[in-house]
Amino acid sequence: KTYVGDPINCWTPAQFTGTHNAYTNSICWLKGSYYLPTEEITIPDRSKPRVYYVSYYQWTPFILLGMGMFFLIPKFVWHTFGRQAGINIRRLVQTIKDKPDDDKGVDFVKKSLKSYLDRLNNLHGTNCCGARCNNFYLGYTITYFIVKLLYVINTLAQFFLLNAFLSFHFTGYGVESLNKLFSGEDWFESPRFPRVTMCDFMIRHLGSNQHWYAIQCNLPINMYNEKIFLGIWIWLLVLTALNVASMISWIISLSGSRRLSTTEKYLHVSEVASPESEPLLHTTEKNRRAYDFTEYMHLDGFLIFKIIAHNTDEVAAGQIIRHLYRNFESLNRNHMSNV
């Protein structure tokens, strides 16, 4: 009311009093109205279907709330799986952030990730849908892919859901609105978010008398709805493009060569951060060892490390990968001596 007054204001006949006016505004708000172009002189018969029926403005807050809840579903899927899959990535990242001035947080992550990878390799698999799956090392990777896919499906599906909720072709709304904006056309006359509509309602009197009224109404709230949904149209388009690009980039990052280069990158960072430590990439066998290390990590271990590295810093990530790499070296030697 601060910016637009009442959300709807209807013009009423002269015989209507204050109570009648309030009832007219209320019934037209609840019942809905329809758009009638100004060039149409006659009001169509009420028995004919309305071409531009407007009934969404009552539900705009709930539409926005529902859209927000749909955006949270993939996040809840990821966090629920993370708490039940053997290692809580969110907790590991938060541990490093809570203790940035010492190495206790990084040490905790080192031990936790090492324990998870050793268990993964010793048991030759992980849990899949609550059951032990031999030679299955893709629990986190598949879930992460599903979550990314859910984000893409969410943005695309909301375009089509808004088509149904708004009762018009929402997928083309942004193009038309932007064309009007840049061409300088007036937005006042719009069948999508009309500011002036017609409302038909009936008032019963004593006996069998039924009086029908066709009332003209003003919808100031649509002045904001059209901007809100134009912003949503642009945002959904941008998010769809970003989600698709993110998924493609993530799939490429899981290739063997990219995992190998990432491993060597963080090992080099750890050597730069700790020059007094023994270098790990100085032998001629470095490529083979690094390749064996990526095999030891599997896609799940590499994904977990990448998420931790992305949400912390390169120095902490370098310390973690160096610890895992050294442990992998000693583990290989123990296996060879056992043989």
Side-chain angles (χ1 to χ4, degrees):
K1 283 193 172 183
T2 301
Y3 297 100
V4 299
D6 293 322
I8 187 171
N9 290 289
C10 296
W11 182 91
T12 55
Q15 70 270 22
F16 278 28
T17 63
T19 304
H20 295 96
N21 295 335
Y23 176 80
T24 302
N25 289 337
S26 178
I27 192 65
C28 290
W29 175 264
L30 296 174
K31 184 175 179 289
S33 56
Y34 59 94
Y35 171 70
L36 186 66
T38 54
E39 60 268 15
E40 291 192 23
I41 300 175
T42 59
I43 298 175
D45 188 82
R46 63 177 179 271
S47 61
K48 297 180 180 179
R50 305 311 185 193
V51 179
Y52 302 113
Y53 191 71
V54 183
S55 61
Y56 53 79
Y57 47 80
Q58 310 96 318
W59 308 104
T60 299
F62 299 99
I63 292 174
L64 299 178
L65 178 63
M67 293 176 68
M69 293 177 66
F70 276 121
F71 273 104
L72 290 175
I73 290 176
K75 175 185 175 182
F76 288 140
V77 170
W78 173 249
H79 288 315
T80 300
F81 176 82
R83 287 191 294 267
Q84 299 177 356
I87 185 169
N88 192 331
I89 305 176
R90 193 177 188 181
R91 181 189 174 196
L92 297 182
V93 172
Q94 195 61 42
T95 301
I96 297 177
K97 290 182 176 181
D98 289 342
K99 301 176 181 179
D101 298 328
D102 55 40
D103 293 334
K104 292 182 180 179
V106 176
D107 290 340
F108 176 78
V109 175
K110 289 178 184 177
K111 295 176 182 177
S112 300
L113 192 52
K114 170 185 175 297
S115 174
Y116 173 79
L117 290 173
D118 288 346
R119 184 170 66 253
L120 194 69
N121 284 279
N122 292 335
L123 296 179
H124 303 288
T126 185
N127 286 326
C128 173
C129 302
R132 170 62 57 184
C133 299
N134 293 327
N135 299 318
F136 183 81
Y137 306 95
L138 300 173
Y140 273 100
T141 307
I142 291 177
T143 305
Y144 198 73
F145 175 77
I146 291 174
V147 168
K148 281 188 171 290
L149 189 61
L150 283 176
Y151 276 117
V152 175
I153 293 173
N154 175 55
T155 53
L156 290 175
Q158 290 204 27
F159 271 110
F160 299 100
L161 287 175
L162 286 173
N163 281 342
F165 285 133
L166 299 179
S167 302
F168 64 77
H169 191 58
F170 179 74
T171 50
Y173 168 66
V175 177
E176 296 179 10
S177 298
L178 291 175
N179 184 47
K180 282 187 177 182
L181 179 65
F182 291 119
S183 62
E185 294 183 31
D186 185 19
W187 287 18
F188 193 83
E189 281 285 338
S190 171
R192 301 182 185 277
F193 291 98
R195 301 177 194 177
V196 178
T197 59
M198 299 297 296
C199 172
D200 297 334
F201 66 95
M202 182 266 295
I203 295 180
R204 295 179 184 272
H205 291 272
L206 291 176
S208 60
N209 295 325
Q210 297 180 355
H211 294 272
W212 281 90
Y213 294 91
I215 301 297
Q216 182 171 301
C217 296
N218 178 32
L219 291 172
I221 194 68
N222 271 354
M223 186 170 61
Y224 288 91
N225 282 336
E226 62 185 0
K227 274 76 171 181
I228 290 172
F229 284 100
L230 175 60
I232 289 174
W233 185 89
I234 296 173
W235 186 233
L236 288 177
L237 198 65
V238 170
L239 284 181
T240 301
L242 290 177
N243 284 328
V244 171
S246 174
M247 179 181 292
I248 295 174
S249 173
W250 174 72
I251 292 174
I252 294 174
S253 71
L254 294 181
S255 64
S257 59
R258 293 293 294 272
R259 285 188 290 148
L260 186 63
S261 62
T262 301
T263 300
E264 293 179 347
K265 168 193 168 183
Y266 283 104
L267 286 174
H268 180 70
V269 168
S270 70
E271 292 180 358
V272 173
S274 304
E276 69 281 356
S277 61
E278 178 186 354
L280 298 176
L281 295 175
H282 66 288
T283 64
T284 56
E285 300 179 357
K286 67 175 183 178
N287 289 334
R288 180 60 189 174
R289 291 182 176 180
Y291 174 79
D292 291 342
F293 178 69
T294 59
E295 293 295 311
Y296 162 81
M297 290 274 288
H298 301 291
L299 288 178
D300 271 12
F302 182 78
L303 173 63
I304 295 171
F305 169 74
K306 281 283 290 182
I307 294 175
I308 294 173
H310 180 74
N311 288 278
T312 54
D313 58 78
E314 289 191 346
V315 175
Q319 294 176 10
I320 295 169
I321 202 73
R322 184 180 183 85
H323 174 79
L324 296 175
Y325 191 84
R326 277 182 167 177
N327 174 265
F328 161 75
E329 296 261 293
S330 61
L331 186 63
N332 262 1
R333 282 196 293 268
N334 288 337
H335 287 328
M336 291 176 65
S337 60
N338 288 340
V339 172

